[in-house]
């Protein structure tokens, strides 16, 4: 017997029994409650600061920044990182010369001679983060080898870490601040109580404009000369009067202006000079957008103080913004003005290309970052999580769940063009990092399949374009063997050999099925069917009638480890294919036979409590929830669709599996236990059994549990 996840009295079975719809609602409601649909975090960002490379590492190249730096001089860089819990975080460090890295005043790493002489040398540095703010300080020393280094996350796909400016002067800004070259090392490092003025030195990037720029109006400072173009300045007017009142907006124009309030043109200023405009404002906040046209270079304006009872308010919360104005442009004079509220959710398009909002500071921009734990992120576990949420919303008639899924997906799809622009401009995108760095099936197939399913029910801005990008990637760009199998070409030292993973049947086949439904092109289904035929040749273990997790072409052998979730992906994805494969398809009978062979193999390995184990052939390994859900899902579909003929034993297994999860893996609050964390691969059973521990509410399992319950409920209705 394996250890229980909770006391029996804490299980959802004690509250809901066999009432599947109530269990589904409890799980879904907990998920939404713990992951509310908060927007992206918008932060002040200086494009003159330390930028990231494509691997999301900050690149501290101070020879390039300070060409006159002398050997022996030092540069300090300082930032902070917020952690919700006390936890170790791993980073990848490269050294361009001697360096010291401190965290919260303690020396974490000192470069050795091998580091200094080989900037390609990869060092893993683990920093024990405290709960709350953690201050990091680099000390870089200039030698003939160079000055600086790079620091990035251990896995930028799953955890693209960004740091925040540490000083109170820049609270809320993204990035590191750094000094000019120093002649002597510091006896005391900056930390929690430090400010930029403590040592009387200048920190970079610069916060303030130079003397020449400060005499200009903000539009002129930011955009320079505008000839036949316009820029937008956006703020909000907050009125405290409970009645409609007349408000005078006065100032000096340095070119033509068009003044818009709440999306309506209220006044034109046709020439430079003093202007006064009467506005009618009621209680609350009102969008004020001033369109500044440039003729012969001059453009912009300055406002006089507002009358009593009227205040400027920030138009949108931007962490670190110090005034109430945002700016965007330039646009050609004939271009239509964008909707300012809407423009924060994606790239601002102009005839000259994309752009985004700016602030009245040197080369300073508004930049969105994905800081929510889950909402608004795009990755493969969330793809299956949202798939489960979407189907739960449909089956239970819960429009609130459907709208939650649509909002999550569209938050991502609308940001796609911005993410590509952001990456090109700053080295690594602050949002949608997996799609912006698309180079694997994990990055696109799972979430993309859910996106296409959602798109069947509701238009989603940007989704059609992404759908074509993913279809092209899977069909034309993803690495393949000569037989067409989708395989993983080695890209890094952790997995040095080419490999075939049974996981990738889920990362590809459901998307190919949705592409067929979207376009009617049978080639997508041909590709999907071929994946199962070819994967079976390499990974099927006929003596057990189940699948090996991975085939390693470097060793030229399968691992022959019966990992639970890997097998779950296979039967789950095969059921997705069979559900749409035409009756007369030449491979249908072969794939139906394979489905039944796998079902027989999995049925024999069901545990005594109804759950399957982390390693299917190892009863001593823990009872694993995600694979159990997928076997229940596939069995229920097999019975309902008529793919399985000997139904009685499978119906019993379905009931035993679902009831087992309700009693063992799901508590009365809707928390899901016993889901294996994300995996690598190994030829050792011990790796899967002992090293791949389970996580609470892991997104590899929540959606799959929901999908299993949906199939159980549909089967009950089918059999009734």
């Amino acid at each position: 017997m394996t250890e229980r996840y909770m006391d029996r009295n804490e299980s959802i079975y004690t509250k809901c029994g066999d009432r599947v719809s109530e269990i589904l609602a409890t799980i879904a409601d907990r998920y939404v409650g713990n992951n509310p649909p908060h927007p992206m975090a918008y932060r002040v960002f200086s494009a003159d600061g330390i930028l990231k490379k494509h691997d999301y590492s900050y690149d501290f190249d101070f020879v390039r920044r300070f060409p006159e730096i002398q050997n022996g001089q030092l540069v300090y860089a300082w930032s902070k990182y917020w952690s919700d819990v006390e936890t170790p975080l791993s980073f990848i460090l490269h050294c361009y010369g001697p360096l010291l890295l401190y965290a919260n005043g303690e020396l974490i790493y000192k470069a050795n001679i091998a580091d200094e002489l080989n900037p390609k040398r990869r060092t893993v540095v683990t920093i024990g983060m405290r709960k709350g703010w953690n201050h990091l300080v680099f000390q870089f020393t200039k030698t003939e080898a160079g000055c600086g280094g790079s620091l990035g996350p251990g896995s930028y796909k799953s955890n693209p870490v960004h740091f925040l400016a540490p000083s109170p002067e820049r609270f809320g800004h993204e990035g590191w601040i750094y000094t000019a070259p120093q002649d002597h090392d510091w006896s005391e490092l900056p930390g929690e109580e430090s400010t930029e003025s403590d040592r009387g030195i200048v920190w970079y990037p610069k916060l303030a404009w130079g003397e020449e720029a400060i005499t200009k109006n903000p539009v002129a400072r930011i955009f320079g000369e505008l000839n036949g173009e316009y820029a937008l300045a956006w703020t909000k007017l907050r009125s405290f009067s409970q009645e409609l009142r007349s408000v005078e907006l006065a100032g000096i124009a340095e070119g033509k202006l068009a003044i818009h309030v709440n999306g309506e043109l209220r006044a034109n200023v046709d020439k430079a000079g003093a202007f006064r405009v009467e506005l009618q404002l009621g209680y609350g906040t009102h969008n004020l957008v001033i369109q500044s046209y440039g003729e012969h270079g001059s453009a912009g304006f300055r406002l006089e103080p507002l009358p009593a009872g009227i205040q400027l308010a920030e138009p949108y919360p931007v962490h670190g913004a110090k005034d109430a104005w945002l700016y965007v442009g330039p646009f050609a004079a004939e271009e239509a003005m964008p909707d300012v509220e809407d423009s924060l959710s994606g790239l601002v398009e102009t005839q000259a290309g994309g752009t985004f909002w700016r602030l009245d500071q040197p080369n300073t921009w508004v930049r969105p970052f994905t800081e929510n734990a889950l909402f608004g992120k795009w990755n493969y576990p969330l793809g299956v999580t949202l798939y489960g949420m979407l189907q739960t919303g449909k089956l239970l008639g819960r429009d609130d769940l459907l709208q939650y899924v649509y909002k999550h997906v569209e938050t991502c799809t609308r940001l796609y063009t911005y993410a590509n622009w952001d990456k090109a401009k700053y080295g690594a995108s602050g949002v949608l990092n997996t799609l912006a760095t698309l180079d694997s099936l994990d990055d696109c197939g799972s979430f993309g399949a859910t996106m296409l399913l959602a798109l069947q029910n509701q238009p989603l801005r940007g989704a059609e374009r992404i759908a074509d990008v993913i279809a092209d990637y899977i069909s034309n760009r993803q690495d393949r063997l000569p037989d067409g199998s989708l395989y993983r070409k080695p890209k890094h030292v952790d997995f040095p050999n080419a490999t075939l993973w049974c996981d990738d049947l889920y990362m590809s086949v459901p998307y190919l099925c949705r592409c067929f439904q979207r376009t009617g092109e049978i080639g997508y289904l041909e590709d999907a069917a071929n994946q199962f035929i070819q994967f079976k040749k390499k990974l099927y273990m006929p003596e057990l009638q189940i699948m090996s997790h991975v085939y390693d072409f470097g060793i030229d052998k399968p691992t022959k480890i019966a990992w639970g979730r890997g097998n779950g992906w296979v039967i789950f994805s095969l059921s997705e294919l069979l559900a749409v494969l035409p009756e007369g398809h030449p491979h249908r009978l072969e794939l139906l036979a394979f489905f039944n062979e796998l079902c027989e193999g999995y049925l024999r390995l069901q545990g005594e409590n109804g759950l399957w184990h982390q390693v299917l052939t190892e009863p001593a390994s823990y009872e694993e929830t995600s694979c159990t859900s997928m076997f229940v899902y596939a069995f229920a579909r097999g019975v309902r669709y008529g793919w399985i003929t000997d139904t009685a034993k499978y119906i019993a297994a379905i009931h035993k599996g679902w009831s087992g999860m309700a009693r063992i893996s799901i508590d009365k609050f809707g928390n899901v236990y016993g889901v294996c964390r994300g995996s690598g691969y190994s030829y050792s059973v011990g790796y899967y059994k002992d090293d791949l521990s389970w996580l609470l509410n892991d997104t590899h399992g929540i959606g799959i549990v929901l999908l299993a319950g949906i199939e159980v409920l549909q089967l009950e209705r089918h059999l009734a």
Side-chain angles (χ1 to χ4, degrees), residues 416 438-439 469-480:
Y416 178 63
L438 174 58
D439 64 2
V469 169
I470 297 173
D472 176 67
Y473 177 82
I474 294 176
S475 297
N476 303 314
R477 295 164 51 204
Q478 166 65 29
D479 297 308
R480 291 177 182 252

Side-chain angles (χ1 to χ4, degrees), residues 49-266:
I50 304 297
L51 301 185
K52 292 179 179 178
K53 298 187 290 185
H54 73 281
D55 62 357
Y56 282 72
S57 62
Y58 288 91
D59 185 19
F60 304 89
D61 186 350
F62 289 114
V63 173
R64 178 177 55 82
R65 287 185 179 272
F66 301 116
E68 303 302 319
I69 189 172
Q70 301 296 306
N71 287 345
Q73 288 189 306
L74 307 103
V75 176
Y76 288 87
W78 175 28
S79 73
K80 65 182 180 182
Y81 178 83
W82 175 269
S83 180
D84 288 326
V85 295
E86 185 176 320
T87 185
L89 284 184
S90 293
F91 296 89
I92 305 301
L93 176 68
H94 293 268
C95 306
Y96 308 161
L99 64 80
L100 302 174
L101 173 60
Y102 297 86
N104 299 318
E106 297 182 7
L107 180 63
I108 298 297
Y109 190 78
K110 178 180 180 180
N112 57 45
I113 188 65
D115 297 327
E116 296 174 21
L117 298 178
N118 184 7
K120 294 183 179 180
R121 180 182 172 91
R122 179 177 182 268
T123 300
V124 178
V125 177
T126 300
I127 300 175
M129 295 293 181
R130 303 172 180 170
K131 181 178 180 180
W133 288 116
N134 295 266
H135 285 256
L136 275 65
V137 177
F138 270 115
Q139 177 188 290
F140 301 104
T141 302
K142 169 65 168 67
T143 67
E144 287 297 327
C147 182
S150 71
L151 183 75
S155 174
Y156 69 87
K157 290 286 188 180
S158 59
N159 189 25
V161 172
H162 60 269
F163 291 92
L164 301 184
S167 64
E169 293 91 335
R170 305 181 201 236
F171 186 83
H173 293 210
E174 194 276 344
W176 294 69
I177 63 175
Y178 57 94
T179 69
Q182 306 288 294
D183 293 323
H184 305 286
D185 61 355
W186 293 352
S187 59
E188 185 178 350
L189 297 173
E192 185 66 39
E193 304 299 324
S194 303
T195 69
E196 293 185 33
S197 60
D198 286 347
R199 285 183 170 80
I201 64 169
V202 175
W203 288 88
Y204 295 90
K206 290 183 178 179
L207 269 173
W209 295 100
E211 291 184 7
E212 181 180 351
I214 204 69
T215 62
K216 301 176 181 178
N217 72 72
V219 171
R221 279 198 293 266
I222 296 168
F223 299 104
E225 293 189 355
L226 296 176
N227 291 296
E229 298 170 308
Y230 72 86
L232 299 180
W234 176 26
T235 189
K236 288 190 175 180
L237 297 172
R238 178 177 286 126
S239 171
F240 296 97
S241 172
Q242 296 184 32
E243 299 178 354
L244 189 68
R245 60 174 291 195
S246 180
V247 175
E248 184 179 74
L249 196 69
I252 303 294
E254 297 188 22
K256 291 183 178 180
L257 304 177
I259 298 174
H260 305 258
V261 177
N262 295 331
E264 296 182 6
L265 177 63
R266 294 293 182 88

